[in-house]
């Protein structure tokens, strides 16, 4: 009977020790958590003080021309160039557009002409009779426009040939630069284009006369000594198998469309 109270007292002592140890552990964990919370709070307060006292960064200054302004300038420039080309094409077509001659009832564009071909022989409307002819006025020193237009004429003739009409039309190149474009030079120049091309040259007065008949604008430009370019109309002129002017076509008319319109004129 004395052993039981002693055992109970021992168990009680063990329980008390365990409870004290548990409370001590909890207190330590809470103390450490409180300490870390205090440190984090202090760091955040310091960061807020620094951000409020620091001088804010200065805004970045824009350059003299920003991207939006540059894009606008490019757009305006492209639009202006397109408008200029459109107005120039319209002016050329207005210059050539047929009008009735006084009291005659025939278009005041075109007419008979006689120049010199690449073999040095006379060649003109008489030699062309019986076939349609597509005339183009240019010069062999032309850097880009003339080659492009002659390529278009070449493609047009090829399209008409596939339709069985190639032998009914003659492509003709007439120089606006008789001082430099000899018959031999024109012959060599036309080798890069359709083999049926007829090249014509003449004296300055003869070229002036035919350009007046077809209302072709041309003038020397950027002249430095003997080197110069020629600013000129960019049109193709169609004359029928009787040598009568029928139509003209601008730079904006592509080969396929040109061939279709010429075919309509042939079958009219």
């Amino acid at each position: 009977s004395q052993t039981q109270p002693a055992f109970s007292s021992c168990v009680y002592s063990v329980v008390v020790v365990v409870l004290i140890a548990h409370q001590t552990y909890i207190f330590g964990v809470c103390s450490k958590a409180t300490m870390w919370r205090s440190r984090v709070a202090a760091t955040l307060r310091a960061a807020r003080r620094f951000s409020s006292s620091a001088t804010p960064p200065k805004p970045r200054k824009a350059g003299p021309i920003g991207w939006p302004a540059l894009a606008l300038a490019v757009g305006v420039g492209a639009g202006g160039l397109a408008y200029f080309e459109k107005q120039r094409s319209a002016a050329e077509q207005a210059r050539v557009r047929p009008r009735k001659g006084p009291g005659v009832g025939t278009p005041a564009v075109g007419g008979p002409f006689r120049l010199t071909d690449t073999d040095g022989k006379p060649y003109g409307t008489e030699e062309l009779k019986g076939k349609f002819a597509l005339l183009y006025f240019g010069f062999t020193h032309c850097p880009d426009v003339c080659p492009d237009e002659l390529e278009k004429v070449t493609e047009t003739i090829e399209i008409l040939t596939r339709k069985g009409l190639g032998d009914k039309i003659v492509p003709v190149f007439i120089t606006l630069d008789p001082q430099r474009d000899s018959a031999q030079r024109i012959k060599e120049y036309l080798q890069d284009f359709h083999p049926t091309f007829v090249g014509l040259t003449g004296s300055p007065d003869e070229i002036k006369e035919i350009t007046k008949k077809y209302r072709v604008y041309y003038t020397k430009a950027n002249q430095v000594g003997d080197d110069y370019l020629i600013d000129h109309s960019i049109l193709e002129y169609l004359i029928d198998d009787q040598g009568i002017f029928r139509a003209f076509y601008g730079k904006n008319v592509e080969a396929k469309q040109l061939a279709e319109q010429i075919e309509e004129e042939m079958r009219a």
Side-chain angles (χ1 to χ4, degrees):
S1 61
Q2 293 179 353
T3 305
Q4 186 174 1
F7 175 77
S8 299
S9 177
C10 180
V11 170
Y12 177 77
S13 299
V14 171
V15 171
V16 170
V17 169
V18 170
L19 290 175
I20 293 173
H22 177 70
Q23 292 297 324
T24 302
Y25 172 76
I26 294 299
F27 176 77
V29 170
C30 292
S31 298
K32 289 182 179 180
T34 302
M35 178 183 67
W36 282 108
R37 282 200 302 270
S38 299
R39 290 182 179 178
V40 171
T43 302
L44 292 176
R45 285 195 298 271
R48 283 196 294 268
R49 285 197 302 271
F50 175 77
S51 62
S52 61
S53 61
T55 303
K58 294 183 179 180
R60 184 177 179 182
K61 292 184 178 180
I65 300 178
W67 284 111
L70 182 60
L72 178 61
V74 172
V76 171
L81 181 60
Y83 177 78
F84 172 78
E85 287 296 331
K86 183 178 181 180
Q87 291 297 107
R88 174 175 175 170
S89 177
E92 289 179 350
Q93 295 182 19
R95 176 187 178 89
V96 181
R97 187 169 291 113
R99 64 173 184 267
K100 302 296 182 180
V104 179
T106 57
V109 177
F113 62 88
R114 197 157 189 80
L115 298 171
T116 304
D117 66 13
T118 54
D119 293 325
K121 298 178 181 179
Y123 195 100
T125 47
E126 287 298 320
E127 286 71 23
L128 287 170
K129 279 188 177 180
K131 291 187 177 183
F132 278 71
L134 190 61
L135 312 182
Y136 179 77
F137 295 81
F139 64 112
T140 63
H141 289 80
C142 183
D144 46 23
V145 174
C146 292
D148 289 345
E149 290 300 296
L150 294 180
E151 284 286 357
K152 182 175 75 175
V153 172
T154 296
E155 186 178 352
T156 299
I157 301 300
E158 291 174 348
I159 294 173
L160 291 172
T161 300
R162 290 194 291 269
K163 294 183 176 182
L165 299 173
D167 60 343
K168 297 181 180 181
I169 185 168
V170 179
V172 180
F173 172 81
I174 301 174
T175 183
L176 296 172
D177 189 14
Q179 291 87 348
R180 295 184 297 182
D181 286 348
S182 63
Q184 183 61 32
R185 179 173 178 84
I186 295 175
K187 177 183 286 189
E188 295 173 356
Y189 180 71
L190 292 178
Q191 289 177 356
D192 293 331
F193 306 104
H194 200 274
T196 61
F197 249 112
V198 172
L200 299 178
T201 186
S203 68
D205 287 340
E206 288 172 333
I207 298 301
K208 184 176 181 180
E209 181 181 356
I210 187 174
T211 55
K212 185 177 180 180
K213 287 182 177 181
Y214 283 87
R215 301 186 192 174
V216 178
Y217 165 80
Y218 71 106
T219 185
K220 290 182 179 179
N222 303 324
Q223 184 167 5
V224 179
D226 294 333
D227 187 20
Y228 54 87
L229 297 176
I230 294 180
D231 187 16
H232 62 90
S233 303
I234 307 172
L235 297 170
E236 285 82 26
Y237 300 79
L238 182 68
I239 59 177
D240 64 17
D241 51 4
Q242 297 301 311
I244 306 300
F245 170 81
R246 295 286 288 271
F248 66 92
Y249 311 96
K251 182 181 178 182
N252 60 328
V253 180
E254 297 182 356
K256 182 179 179 181
Q257 182 182 1
L258 180 56
E260 292 173 352
Q261 294 184 17
I262 291 175
E263 182 180 2
E264 290 179 3
E265 292 289 344
M266 286 180 166
R267 300 186 187 281

